[in-house]
């Protein structure tokens, strides 16, 4: 069984703790649940922990879950709304939420909602692995042309720029766009999202996704600062956070215990 992480964001602490308890007791596909009682803290925890499932109250203090989702931009997490208000259900559908549960939470409905989301998450992982295998097979079949594939093209309205892969320090997600930071100190903005660059660059062996916002060239890391909360310090003096979920995979990839 695939295990998932989740976060509950509700301005009532008792609701957060109760839902965390129910998820741990009745939803066995969830291995860890985080909690938050305000939008700002919830925003930072989502960025840090990259949970698979986000449980959101519609009204969070004087703010709303919709503002939180707008600020987060594109995320891979599945969203389940929890609310006392039926009237927000239609608007929630605009955010492609997986479910809308009314308070007080019915345990059976909660279990069914999590089960459906778990199946959806497993399908997403399978499709990503399938795509990765297709990319690796394509690269394998074109090894003789590898030297010609060490550049990527970035198109703008005026021209098409060819960027050498070895010149890229790291890529940063900015909503649906990607910013590429280069060794010469310049940066380029691409209309492709970060997942597209992950699929393009990771098979070349030198790139690793350390965070939902960052894809780094491993050759461009000066050191990994473990004492300050695990950051990659790049050659351009930028410190990039390593998310909790990516940390173990990165250390294993680098042979670090």
């Amino acid at each position: 069984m695939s295990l998932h992480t989740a976060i509950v964001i509700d301005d009532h602490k008792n609701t957060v703790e109760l839902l965390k308890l129910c998820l741990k007791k009745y939803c066995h596909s969830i291995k860890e649940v985080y909690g938050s009682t305000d939008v700002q803290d919830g925003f930072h925890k989502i960025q840090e922990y990259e949970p698979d499932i986000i449980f959101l109250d519609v009204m969070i203090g004087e703010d709303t879950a919709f503002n939180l989702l707008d600020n987060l931009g594109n995320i891979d997490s599945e969203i389940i709304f929890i609310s006392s208000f039926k009237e927000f259900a239609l608007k929630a559908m605009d955010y492609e939420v997986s479910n809308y549960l009314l308070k007080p939470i019915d345990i059976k409905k909660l279990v069914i909602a999590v089960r459906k989301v778990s199946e959806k998450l497993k399908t997403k992982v399978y499709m990503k692995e399938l795509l990765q295998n297709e990319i690796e097979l394509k690269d394998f079949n074109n090894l003789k042309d590898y030297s010609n594939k060490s550049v990527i093209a970035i198109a703008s309205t005026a021209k098409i720029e060819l960027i050498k892969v070895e010149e890229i320090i790291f890529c940063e997600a900015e909503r649906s766009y990607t910013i590429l930071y280069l060794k010469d100190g310049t940066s380029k903005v691409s209309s492709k999202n970060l997942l597209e660059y992950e699929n393009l660059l990771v098979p070349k062996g030198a790139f690793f996704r350390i965070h939902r916002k960052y894809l780094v060239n491993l050759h461009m890391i000066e050191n990994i600062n473990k004492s300050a909360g695990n950051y990659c310090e790049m050659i351009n003096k930028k410190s990039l956070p390593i998310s909790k979920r990516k940390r173990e995979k990165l250390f294993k990839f680098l042979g670090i215990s």
Side-chain angles (χ1 to χ4, degrees), residues 103-128:
K103 297 178 182 178
I105 298 298
D106 183 300
I107 298 299
K108 289 184 179 179
K109 291 182 179 180
L110 175 66
V111 171
I112 292 172
V114 171
R115 187 181 301 143
K116 288 181 178 179
V117 165
S118 181
E119 290 299 319
K120 188 175 180 180
L121 288 167
K122 285 194 290 185
T123 300
K124 286 167 69 174
V125 170
Y126 171 77
M127 294 303 295
K128 187 174 181 179

Side-chain angles (χ1 to χ4, degrees), residues 189-216:
V189 178
S190 170
S191 59
K192 292 182 180 180
N193 62 43
L194 192 60
L195 179 59
E196 292 182 76
Y197 279 105
E198 182 179 6
N199 292 332
L200 178 66
L201 295 172
V202 168
K204 297 184 182 298
F207 286 80
F208 197 96
R209 183 82 173 261
I210 62 168
H211 190 277
R212 65 179 294 270
K213 281 183 65 76
Y214 301 110
L215 176 69
V216 303

